Amino acid sequence: MYAISGKINLENIERVDVEKVDVAKSSTGGKKEMGEGSIGEKERSGIVKGGKDDEFSGLLQLEIPPGYPIDAQVEKQGVDKVCLLLKRDIIFKKIKERKDSMPRFDLLVAEAKSQEEPIDEAPVDDTPDNEMVESQIEGNCFNRKDCARELRDCWRIWMRTLNKPNLNIVDRQQWRFMWRVATFVRGNDELGKEEMDESCSAGSIKAMASHIVGYPRMGPKRELKFALEAFWNNKSSAKELQKVAADLRLSIWKQMADAGIKYIPSNTFSYYDHVLDTTAMLGAIPPRYGWNGGEIGFDIYFSMARGNASVPAMEMTKCHYIVPELGPEINFSYASHKAVQEYEEAKAVVSALCEDEITRMTQYHGIDTVPVLVGPVSYLLLSKPAKGVDKSFSLLSLIDKILPVYKEVVDELKTAGASWIQFDEPTLVMDLDAHELRAFTHAYTELESSASGVNVLIETYFADVPAEAYKTVTALKGVTAIGFDLVRGSKTFDLIRNGFPPGKYLLLELALAVELSYEFFFVHSNKLVVSTSCSLLHTAVDSANETKLDEELKSWLAFAAQKLLEVNALAKALTGLKNEAFFSGNAAAHASRRLSPRVTNAAVRKAAASLRGSDHRRATNVSARLESQQKKLNLPNLPTTVLGSFPQTLGLRKIRREYKVNKISEEEYVEAIKEEIRKVVKLQEELDIDVLVHGEPEQRNDMVEYFGEQLSGFAFTDNGWVQSYGSRCVKPPIIYGDVSRPKAMSVFWSTLAQSMTKRPMKGMLTGPVTILNWSFVRNDQPRFETCYQIALAIKDEVEDLQKAGINVIQIDEPSLREGLPLRKYEQAFYLDWAVHSFRITNCAVQDSTQIHTHMCYSNFNDIIHSIIDMDADVISIENSRSDEKLLSVFHEGVKYRAGIGPGVYDIHSPRIPSTEEIAERINKMLAVLDSNILWVNPDCGLKTRKYSEVKPALSNMVAAAKLIRMQLAAAK
């Protein structure tokens, strides 16, 4: 046979020899032992010639099957890994031989049992496996269904070999861990607890760790929202706001610690968003905010986010973060110590709590968290050139200017005691060029010396990591650990299986990780960490707060608090401590959902299937339709309109709340809403707005929730709040089954409003793509199938509105761009079905019915052709807050023939624009758009504003439109 031998110490195998060995000449007295070669003490001393006894920890010699590619494996994997892989291969060869070798097998088992160190017998489950029953070994598959007993006995034999006193303890722990992986996958994981405890304490392999990328920060009852709004309205002090924030952070850290999470994040809390926090940390404050140095306070911070009476806010983009504005002259400085302060705050938790509440944490002197920073490269790639800076300016040219600040932050965190620092680099999942990838190598090479002595974790999420980016990030020497999203990025899974650096920690979702090969676990077992695929920021906080959700449906859900428990349960199960009751309950919930009759609707599926084969375009082109609509509507040039909602006053909220809890009757509620609509209609007529809206007072606390509540296949929560941006929270619907519209949803209110005016009244609907993207969507069918079902439901509503005499119908799609996949190869397919879904909603209306849509807070230039393909008659689109970048696409020659209303002022700021400012914006639009297609409107709906802000802003907007009309008439 062949044998591999090597010098082993506690750190590594220092030398390897591959040679022919004659087993018959063994110096062990003729006694052959599986896994041992033939070299006796005399030959052994020759191999370690010149070595001192205290340098020698023993020899490992293994049988090598004929034809085993040892040279190639040594070159590819390294000697130490080859030894471990050989052990793995040999034991599974023995499993495969099974009954043919049973006599010898029994002898070896008996021999192993007779050794001094007792080995607990692992229980055997002889029931068949249902999935994951094969593993590839040297090109041959074996089936694990029938191998439980042999696996146990092989383990016993090899533990006999590995229990040699002079064998490296790490190897012994590696092999025991290998057994646990096998038993976890098979369900035979009830290993003796004593043996587990001994195993974990004896060597370097410990119970698999768990990690959370990030956590919701609003609080289970939106505590942060109310604290922020009270502060903004001068009803509370900065100290009171900070107290609410500190209490929330403390409860989050304690909740994670109690759930058993090892790597708990800090600095994921934010008063607005974490990109803005990074802007503050770097001192990258645009000059217009008047910052003169020092620690960034609330006044500057919230002015950047919301604007103030004199200056507008910074741009907010589709992911609802405040976009940094950078240029070549900017000077960065360390201006916010939030990351260090929150780390130290968590470390001080012990003194703030009773010790009996956190007994297991007292040994750590508080909660030792992992501070989270937006990575330097992603920060620059998520930025934009500041106003006045050439658009071709390379943001990555600033990398050497921001790295000194990052080094200061890292140094402070190290001094404070941090042993891990997490850098979020989500842009690694994008299609980056070689120059952008080199920026990652450069940045983390520069940070390496500062980060010496601390573990650096890079987190990626939301998509596949491209092969070149994977190669780049896994090659970073100063990086200890890498996290990947295998839910949205399943192709990354193949890259990991084909090669991951053995010295680095790997963070991933173990529901998928158990599909990794035994070989992978064997090599990386002590470097795997069970994590979430991405931050839980946009997940509802805790399903325990949902007392009205029926129990069956509730069992199908896991909010952030439940996901903490799932992550920890998976981590424990993979080490053999599987909670059978927990996993059985999970399996029962999945079975309940799969078999439930409330999930599927045959009629809906048939209707959706019938959509195939048509593109659902309207029969007439948009120019002809606009002519027909103008004859009916008789609108002036530059028509003015509002995009849906009006302010949601305290009185209005009180009415809705009282109706919801049956304090007022339905008749009283309807009368109150009628009066609110009458006020809104009257105000718009007084302002001389051309196309009106009813203001959406009727239970429209959210544009998605309102319609979802009236559709089948949707479920709703009482406290499932999720942050949208700043203090804005939404309760995303839960789409659990097939979707249909049992009855009309908005027709009553729209026709009521139309009866109050002779001016056109818009029917207001939310489009299918936005309903989909702003919901928690079922995962048992493709997203586009669910979207088509929603589109059919909205189509029914559009046709009913038309029948009721509503001649202008707005179908909002603000999240169309938001749902665009990050990877380019996925984008065309998404845009195809998303645009198709919108066309389905209005494909059957008359030419004289005007279809509007609305989009906001995204860069639409790269999808402008898809927007044109939606074939809407009029599109209103966010423009003012993004420095009018939308207009650049028309400067570049794109021809748009439908009506278009680029927003003329930002509704997310309390600032009131002047007539002159709005008129200037309209003139910029007229430089690239024809006056006969241009509409004048705000960026978005007005529900977040006060009437004291809305009235003067709309008055100035109408005045500006009239001013430009006069100028156009005079020019003619």
Side-chain angles (χ1 to χ4, degrees):
M1 67 175 70
Y2 293 87
I4 181 170
S5 61
K7 182 180 178 184
I8 304 172
N9 60 27
L10 293 179
E11 295 298 323
N12 60 2
I13 299 175
E14 295 181 1
R15 179 165 61 85
V16 64
D17 297 306
V18 180
E19 57 184 334
K20 286 268 190 179
V21 176
D22 187 350
V23 179
K25 296 180 180 179
S26 170
S27 61
T28 58
K31 182 179 177 181
K32 302 176 187 177
E33 294 186 296
M34 180 181 172
E36 294 191 48
S38 60
I39 301 178
E41 284 298 322
K42 183 176 180 180
E43 291 86 356
R44 182 179 298 171
S45 62
I47 290 178
V48 293
K49 187 176 180 180
K52 296 180 181 179
D53 289 342
D54 59 357
E55 294 176 345
F56 177 69
S57 298
L59 281 175
L60 171 66
Q61 292 184 249
L62 299 168
E63 300 174 354
I64 303 176
Y68 192 91
I70 187 67
D71 294 331
Q73 288 291 323
V74 170
E75 181 178 349
K76 180 179 179 182
Q77 302 284 353
V79 173
D80 53 345
K81 285 191 195 172
V82 169
C83 288
L84 297 177
L85 293 175
L86 281 171
K87 283 187 285 187
R88 191 239 22 216
D89 285 359
I90 291 169
I91 189 170
F92 287 126
K93 283 288 186 185
K94 284 295 178 184
I95 293 173
K96 195 177 177 185
E97 291 169 7
R98 300 183 64 233
K99 293 185 178 179
D100 292 339
S101 59
M102 281 304 289
R104 174 62 178 156
F105 202 95
D106 291 342
L107 178 62
L108 292 171
V109 171
E111 190 175 289
K113 285 181 177 179
S114 68
Q115 300 307 308
E116 291 184 1
E117 181 180 344
I119 301 174
D120 294 338
E121 177 168 332
V124 174
D125 179 1
D126 291 319
T127 58
D129 244 291
N130 54 4
E131 289 185 343
M132 294 191 299
V133 297
E134 294 183 346
S135 180
Q136 189 73 28
I137 296 184
E138 292 185 32
N140 297 314
C141 291
F142 71 95
N143 191 298
R144 294 204 298 275
K145 288 182 180 177
D146 304 312
C147 295
R149 194 173 305 281
E150 290 90 329
L151 180 60
R152 179 201 63 200
D153 289 334
C154 281
W155 178 72
R156 198 182 254 122
I157 295 165
W158 276 94
M159 285 303 299
R160 158 69 187 96
T161 303
L162 293 178
N163 278 330
K164 293 166 67 72
N166 61 358
L167 189 65
N168 185 353
I169 188 67
V170 175
D171 290 334
R172 190 180 310 160
Q173 300 305 320
Q174 288 275 19
W175 194 244
R176 288 186 176 181
F177 178 83
M178 189 62 216
W179 165 250
R180 291 188 190 91
V181 172
T183 53
F184 168 69
V185 175
R186 275 199 37 76
N188 303 325
D189 49 294
E190 299 175 10
L191 296 179
K193 188 175 185 304
E194 292 181 6
E195 189 268 332
M196 170 66 81
D197 292 341
E198 183 272 331
S199 171
C200 290
S201 62
S204 64
I205 302 302
K206 299 182 179 180
M208 187 165 288
S210 51
H211 165 261
I212 301 298
V213 178
Y215 201 76
R217 50 200 179 214
M218 276 290 130
K221 296 183 179 179
R222 296 179 291 165
E223 291 87 345
L224 182 58
K225 169 189 171 64
F226 298 124
L228 283 168
E229 292 173 357
F231 176 72
W232 293 338
N233 292 319
N234 299 314
K235 294 181 179 178
S236 68
S237 65
K239 186 173 288 187
E240 289 172 308
L241 173 59
Q242 290 165 339
K243 175 66 166 58
V244 172
D247 289 345
L248 282 173
R249 290 191 294 268
L250 177 61
S251 67
I252 290 168
W253 293 327
K254 185 176 182 296
Q255 184 181 14
M256 291 193 199
D258 290 345
I261 303 300
K262 179 176 181 181
Y263 297 114
I264 297 171
S266 61
N267 199 41
T268 55
F269 176 88
S270 176
Y271 289 102
Y272 210 88
D273 81 69
H274 48 292
V275 178
L276 182 62
D277 292 351
T278 309
T279 295
M281 181 187 83
L282 295 171
I285 315 302
R288 65 181 179 272
Y289 296 106
W291 178 63
N292 296 313
E295 190 81 1
I296 301 294
F298 281 156
D299 53 346
I300 298 295
Y301 181 86
F302 288 129
S303 291
M304 291 190 290
R306 307 177 68 240
N308 57 42
S310 57
V311 292
M314 296 167 69
E315 179 188 356
M316 183 168 65
T317 192
K318 74 176 184 108
C319 294
H320 288 170
Y321 70 87
I322 303 298
V323 183
E325 303 171 9
L326 307 177
E329 304 303 321
I330 190 169
N331 292 313
F332 297 98
S333 62
Y334 190 10
S336 171
H337 295 68
K338 176 177 174 292
V340 179
Q341 290 164 355
E342 290 188 12
Y343 175 78
E344 292 177 332
E345 186 180 317
K347 289 269 286 188
V349 164
V350 162
S351 61
L353 293 173
C354 299
E355 285 200 7
D356 61 340
E357 287 184 292
I358 51 168
T359 301
R360 64 184 184 79
M361 288 186 280
T362 54
Q363 60 182 312
Y364 299 112
H365 311 292
I367 299 178
D368 190 13
T369 60
V370 179
V372 179
L373 304 173
V374 175
V377 183
S378 288
Y379 177 79
L380 292 177
L381 291 177
L382 292 171
S383 303
K384 70 174 185 177
K387 196 169 186 177
V389 175
D390 193 285
K391 300 304 179 186
S392 63
F393 172 67
S394 172
L395 294 161
L396 287 177
S397 67
L398 299 173
I399 189 69
D400 287 323
K401 296 182 75 172
I402 68 171
L403 285 177
V405 179
Y406 273 92
K407 289 178 181 179
E408 284 188 73
V409 179
V410 170
D411 286 340
E412 278 200 12
L413 287 169
K414 283 171 58 178
T415 301
S419 57
W420 284 86
I421 300 176
Q422 176 178 318
F423 292 89
D424 282 2
E425 292 284 9
T427 57
L428 275 166
V429 305
M430 302 181 75
D431 297 283
L432 304 177
D433 59 30
H435 168 66
E436 292 165 328
L437 290 174
R438 284 195 297 271
F440 285 95
T441 302
H442 173 71
Y444 287 93
T445 300
E446 287 294 310
L447 287 172
E448 191 172 341
S449 59
S450 296
S452 176
V454 67
N455 295 293
V456 172
L457 160 63
I458 288 183
E459 270 293 344
T460 71
Y461 35 76
F462 298 150
D464 288 303
V465 174
E468 287 304 311
Y470 180 84
K471 189 184 301 182
T472 297
V473 71
T474 54
L476 296 174
K477 293 182 180 179
V479 172
T480 314
I482 307 169
F484 297 106
D485 183 343
L486 300 186
V487 175
R488 290 289 183 92
S490 57
K491 291 189 176 181
T492 307
F493 194 57
D494 295 328
L495 296 174
I496 294 171
R497 281 192 292 201
N498 291 332
F500 184 80
K504 296 186 187 298
Y505 286 82
L506 175 62
L507 285 75
L508 71 175
E509 315 78 32
L510 259 292
L512 292 168
V514 293
E515 298 176 19
L516 289 168
S517 66
Y518 274 14
E519 174 182 328
F520 187 93
F521 273 117
F522 198 61
V523 175
H524 299 277
S525 58
N526 63 331
K527 299 287 186 179
L528 283 174
V529 178
V530 185
S531 183
T532 51
S533 64
C534 60
S535 173
L536 300 177
L537 174 62
H538 298 298
T539 306
V541 178
D542 192 346
S543 66
N545 297 326
E546 303 306 323
T547 57
K548 297 179 182 177
L549 209 58
D550 72 77
E551 289 304 314
E552 180 189 44
L553 215 160
K554 190 174 176 180
S555 74
W556 301 348
L557 307 176
F559 291 1
Q562 287 67 50
K563 291 181 187 296
L564 295 182
L565 301 177
E566 290 177 346
V567 166
N568 196 50
L570 282 166
K572 286 184 175 181
L574 209 62
T575 60
L577 296 178
K578 184 177 179 182
N579 184 329
E580 289 295 344
F582 187 92
F583 279 83
S584 295
N586 180 269
H590 278 273
S592 165
R593 177 183 166 199
R594 187 172 60 253
L595 301 173
S596 175
R598 66 199 295 189
V599 171
T600 57
N601 183 316
V604 171
R605 291 182 171 269
K606 183 178 179 180
S610 70
L611 294 173
R612 299 186 181 96
S614 171
D615 60 8
H616 296 89
R617 293 182 183 276
R618 294 169 75 177
T620 312
N621 67 53
V622 68
S623 298
R625 297 199 307 264
L626 288 175
E627 287 183 16
S628 176
Q629 293 155 15
Q630 180 59 16
K631 289 177 182 177
K632 178 179 281 191
L633 301 174
N634 193 28
L635 299 173
N637 212 13
L638 305 179
T640 55
T641 191
V642 180
L643 301 183
S645 59
F646 266 70
Q648 306 284 292
T649 64
L650 291 176
L652 178 59
R653 290 174 181 171
K654 181 183 177 183
I655 290 167
R656 293 198 302 227
R657 187 166 57 250
E658 289 179 346
Y659 175 62
K660 197 170 184 178
V661 298
N662 299 316
K663 282 191 174 181
I664 60 174
S665 67
E666 184 171 358
E667 291 77 13
E668 291 172 308
Y669 168 73
V670 170
E671 282 303 314
I673 297 301
K674 279 183 181 179
E675 184 58 31
E676 186 71 23
I677 292 173
R678 191 173 288 110
K679 289 178 183 178
V680 169
V681 171
K682 182 180 179 183
L683 173 61
Q684 292 173 91
E685 289 183 329
E686 290 173 349
L687 292 169
D688 203 16
I689 291 174
D690 300 304
V691 177
L692 312 188
V693 297
H694 74 291
E696 303 178 3
E698 74 293 5
Q699 291 290 2
R700 291 204 190 187
N701 52 325
D702 178 79
M703 63 186 296
V704 172
E705 184 178 21
Y706 175 76
F707 290 101
E709 285 176 334
Q710 302 181 74
L711 295 170
S712 64
F714 282 76
F716 289 84
T717 63
D718 285 330
N719 295 291
W721 296 100
V722 170
Q723 183 184 23
S724 176
Y725 61 87
S727 68
R728 173 96 168 102
C729 296
V730 295
K731 282 192 298 177
I734 299 161
I735 305 177
Y736 67 85
D738 291 339
V739 178
S740 62
R741 187 196 71 145
K743 61 181 182 179
M745 301 179 286
S746 65
V747 175
F748 173 78
W749 299 112
S750 294
T751 52
L752 175 67
Q754 182 65 81
S755 71
M756 297 176 181
T757 182
K758 293 181 180 179
R759 302 188 185 209
M761 175 64 64
K762 284 196 283 190
M764 299 299 303
L765 304 175
T766 303
V769 182
T770 295
I771 291 176
L772 182 88
N773 286 337
W774 288 356
S775 298
F776 295 123
V777 185
R778 60 190 295 187
N779 59 3
D780 59 342
Q781 69 180 19
R783 287 173 68 87
F784 70 85
E785 290 187 10
T786 303
C787 198
Y788 286 160
Q789 293 178 0
I790 301 170
L792 288 171
I794 300 300
K795 178 177 181 289
D796 291 342
E797 187 73 9
V798 168
E799 291 170 12
D800 281 351
L801 283 168
Q802 180 181 253
K803 291 174 186 175
I806 303 300
N807 297 314
V808 182
I809 302 171
Q810 182 172 310
I811 308 169
D812 286 343
E813 286 291 14
S815 82
L816 180 76
R817 176 64 172 77
E818 186 176 318
L820 187 71
L822 296 173
R823 295 298 307 280
K824 289 180 180 177
Y825 76 91
E826 298 177 311
Q827 291 177 359
F829 178 65
Y830 166 79
L831 288 170
D832 179 66
W833 62 255
V835 169
H836 188 190
S837 295
F838 178 83
R839 289 202 305 263
I840 289 169
T841 65
N842 59 88
C843 63
V845 299
Q846 301 166 2
D847 287 354
S848 58
T849 298
Q850 191 168 83
I851 299 297
H852 288 227
T853 190
H854 166 60
M855 300 178 184
C856 56
Y857 299 107
S858 289
N859 179 7
F860 298 101
N861 295 22
D862 56 345
I863 65 165
I864 190 65
H865 294 289
S866 294
I867 292 173
I868 294 171
D869 201 36
M870 291 171 72
D871 201 25
D873 297 313
V874 179
I875 178 172
S876 53
I877 195 163
E878 183 273 325
N879 174 66
S880 62
R881 188 162 181 172
S882 59
D883 292 332
E884 299 159 350
K885 68 173 68 170
L886 170 69
L887 302 184
S888 65
V889 76
F890 303 113
H891 279 290
E892 293 165 4
V894 172
K895 299 298 181 184
Y896 194 75
R897 293 179 173 83
I900 183 168
V904 296
Y905 78 91
D906 175 23
I907 63 85
H908 287 287
S909 171
R911 180 175 171 272
I912 299 167
S914 67
T915 298
E916 293 73 24
E917 179 184 332
I918 295 175
E920 182 182 353
R921 283 212 171 99
I922 296 172
N923 277 323
K924 287 181 181 179
M925 298 170 191
L926 287 171
V928 292
L929 295 166
D930 293 336
S931 61
N932 64 332
I933 66 169
L934 186 62
W935 285 62
V936 178
N937 48 258
D939 267 349
C940 200
L942 304 171
K943 67 182 294 183
T944 60
R945 301 268 53 88
K946 302 173 185 176
Y947 272 104
S948 60
E949 299 160 345
V950 165
K951 290 178 182 179
L954 290 180
S955 178
N956 292 346
M957 183 188 80
V958 173
K962 290 180 177 180
L963 176 64
I964 301 301
R965 285 175 197 159
M966 290 173 58
Q967 293 174 357
L968 290 174
K972 287 182 179 179

